[in-house]
Amino acid sequence: MLEKMNPNALLIDVREPEEYALGHITGSQNIPMSDIPHWAKTADQTQELYVYCKAGVRAEQVALYLKDEGFTKVTNLGGLEELTDLGFTISQ
């Protein structure tokens, strides 16, 4: 998965800031799930997006929401633990 990702895509961690501060994928941007609707109003709907959270549930909800709002390139990466198993680097 890691080697197939577009390096110009936006990697979004939809967890709360406290969770993000404990460890997140290097290069990701923290946009909590509750802030996604506001963020989506001004975001480029054609930008390629990858979303993740702790276990994948919030990321799935956000991915579905963004697709419903017209975003065309959204991928749910799932949960943080499985992403580290796939070789993603964690920063704190």
Side-chain angles (χ1 to χ4, degrees):
M1 165 62 88
L2 186 57
E3 56 279 342
K4 295 179 185 178
M5 288 181 62
N6 178 348
N8 297 317
L10 183 59
L11 179 59
I12 302 173
D13 184 325
V14 299
R15 298 176 301 150
E16 293 299 314
E18 313 74 59
E19 296 173 284
Y20 184 81
L22 294 174
H24 53 273
I25 301 297
T26 303
S28 65
Q29 181 178 349
N30 183 221
I31 306 173
M33 183 176 172
S34 61
D35 293 346
I36 290 291
H38 178 71
W39 171 84
K41 290 178 184 175
T42 59
D44 177 1
Q45 291 187 338
T46 63
Q47 168 78 42
E48 190 165 0
L49 306 172
Y50 297 104
V51 295
Y52 75 93
C53 61
K54 181 179 179 183
V57 175
R58 288 176 280 184
E60 180 63 23
Q61 293 171 337
V62 167
L64 290 172
Y65 172 81
L66 291 172
K67 289 175 184 178
D68 285 347
E69 292 297 308
F71 286 79
T72 57
K73 300 174 187 170
V74 181
T75 302
N76 172 16
L77 293 179
L80 187 60
E81 187 173 308
E82 60 192 88
L83 293 175
T84 56
D85 292 344
L86 292 173
F88 285 83
T89 306
I90 301 293
S91 297
Q92 289 185 325

